[in-house]
Amino acid sequence: MSNQDSHKGLDRRSFIKIGGMSTLALTLGSTGIPVDLFSSTAHAEKNDDVKLQFNPDGKFKIVQFNDTQDDERIDRRTVELMEKVLDAEKPDFVVLNGDNISGGCDTPMEMRQAINNVAQPMEQRGIKWAVTFGNHDEDSTPNSGLDEEDMLRIYMSYKYNENRPGVKGITGTGNMNLLIKDSKGKKAAFNLWLLDSGRYAPQTIAGQDFKGYPTWDWLRFNQVSWYYETSKKLEKQWGYKVPSLVFIHIPLWEHRFMWYASVDQRTDANHAIAVKKHNIVGERNEEECMGPVNSGLFSAMLERGDVKGVFCGHDHINTYMGNYYGILLGYAGNTGFGTYGLPGAERNRLRGARVFNLDENQDGVLTETHMVFAKDYGIDLTANDQSMDPLPIEENKKKER
């Protein structure tokens, strides 16, 4: 999230959808989106019908794509990168971790096409996947009329998508957890937390604005509480704490604390200490762009002791990762060639994805994570625009569950 990015779009909590719902439903019906798209609110508590399972060898691989962030005329290299990573890594699951689309979609059809562009690499390969939402996903909402709940229904219509309606009564869209069973399909071997870290801070709280403070959003207490209580329920259900990963779009304040091994001091000397203390690897080319409030999620995770790592995006040219008091904090860089990158000719050098390797037979299950980059696959890194026509929208028959 470059500091050059403007505060685009409307706050998700104050946005009033443009146009009549009946007109939108009719329009979407003609594009292949289910006509009952708007018939009910996307809310549910359970996702027990999701069937993710470790392979017979006890292994499971996850790929994280972040900030594909484009409209219906996506940069062709974004899709190429996704395809080449999937073909090389052959993951069992993929997370599109926020800012999946951006502004520029002026109609429901264009929004559908933008979503389809980033869904097809997994759909064509039969790879299960899910999304979280970021601060830019509703940039097209004022023109297209589709908000995050509408987008979630579109994502959920895809055959291999594993999203579920968001947990009822908490802030955000699509908050959920996904259990991964062991290779025998009997126990919970791992868990994924997919949380909506929001868009932008409210204009004011208690009559005070946020001038001088970061103006991005933060996880609300009810989301943190839901994680905490659900974590306890899982422990009670299975008889042990289920190791897990958290995927959020906007980083935590602890990401910045870790980089400097300090809250207040931010010098090269501080960072040198942090590298040794927290085993930091990767690059930091821009300041972390958090919200003005520390959500308390890290404290809750320390208390529970089940989360092995928290991985975000948002800040496109950060790829670092470290071990912060037993919990990995890291970035997945940026997948989308249509967004900002490094300055000048190096603009696309850090386009990439993050890979996670899990092994049910190892302590903590998460054995390793690393970045892969477009340059590793011979993809053109020229600092220009290479937009393409939208990918064809194919008929998606949701698999039986």
Side-chain angles (χ1 to χ4, degrees), residues 17 21 36-45 147-154 156 164-170 172-174:
K17 187 173 294 183
M21 297 309 298
D36 62 350
L37 186 64
F38 304 103
S39 62
S40 63
T41 303
H43 284 312
E45 288 285 352
D147 64 12
E148 287 178 352
E149 285 212 352
D150 303 325
M151 294 177 221
L152 183 61
R153 291 186 181 92
I154 297 173
M156 288 169 56
R164 291 292 176 272
V167 179
K168 187 175 181 180
I170 69 172
T173 306

Side-chain angles (χ1 to χ4, degrees), residues 142-359:
N143 290 333
S144 72
L146 304 186
D147 64 12
E148 287 178 352
E149 285 212 352
D150 303 325
M151 294 177 221
L152 183 61
R153 291 186 181 92
I154 297 173
Y155 285 118
M156 288 169 56
S157 73
Y158 281 91
K159 183 176 181 179
Y160 294 99
N161 177 267
E162 300 292 358
N163 280 104
R164 291 292 176 272
V167 179
K168 187 175 181 180
I170 69 172
T171 303
T173 306
N175 297 287
M176 63 179 293
N177 73 288
L178 281 169
L179 281 177
I180 309 174
K181 295 292 184 67
D182 67 5
S183 56
K184 295 181 180 179
K186 295 182 178 180
K187 298 182 185 179
F190 206 75
N191 188 41
L192 305 177
W193 305 95
L194 306 180
L195 301 175
D196 180 3
S197 57
R199 302 196 73 220
Y200 303 101
Q203 293 298 312
T204 62
I205 291 180
Q208 302 174 21
D209 63 30
F210 287 99
K211 185 177 180 179
Y213 294 92
T215 55
W216 290 277
D217 217 333
W218 66 92
L219 291 166
R220 297 298 191 265
F221 176 77
N222 55 34
Q223 293 171 284
V224 176
S225 178
W226 171 77
Y227 149 72
Y228 188 85
E229 294 303 323
T230 304
S231 172
K232 290 198 298 184
K233 289 178 182 177
L234 290 173
E235 182 180 12
K236 183 177 181 180
Q237 176 183 354
W238 296 101
Y240 52 88
K241 293 181 179 180
V242 182
S244 61
L245 281 171
V246 174
F247 291 98
I248 53 176
H249 182 75
I250 296 174
L252 303 177
W253 275 98
E254 284 81 5
H255 280 76
R256 180 178 293 181
F257 299 162
M258 179 183 72
W259 182 262
Y260 290 109
S262 173
V263 173
D264 299 317
Q265 299 183 54
R266 300 174 190 172
T267 67
D268 290 343
N270 292 128
H271 175 59
I273 294 171
V275 169
K276 294 180 180 180
K277 185 174 186 176
H278 299 303
N279 300 314
I280 297 173
V281 295
E283 296 186 30
R284 178 185 185 268
N285 295 294
E286 63 176 313
E287 290 189 353
E288 299 82 0
C289 295
M290 300 79 63
V293 176
N294 190 319
S295 66
L297 177 64
F298 191 83
S299 177
M301 295 186 303
L302 276 183
E303 173 69 21
R304 286 299 304 141
D306 56 349
V307 173
K308 304 304 176 184
V310 182
F311 287 84
C312 64
H314 190 54
D315 305 320
H316 298 184
I317 49 180
N318 290 344
T319 63
Y320 70 81
M321 178 196 72
N323 185 319
Y324 192 68
Y325 299 102
I327 299 176
L328 298 179
L329 300 181
Y331 281 88
N334 165 227
T335 304
F337 280 73
T339 68
Y340 78 86
L342 292 166
E346 281 210 314
R347 173 181 170 179
N348 295 320
R349 178 172 64 82
L350 293 180
R351 308 299 187 195
R354 181 168 285 279
V355 180
F356 300 86
N357 286 299
L358 310 180
D359 186 339

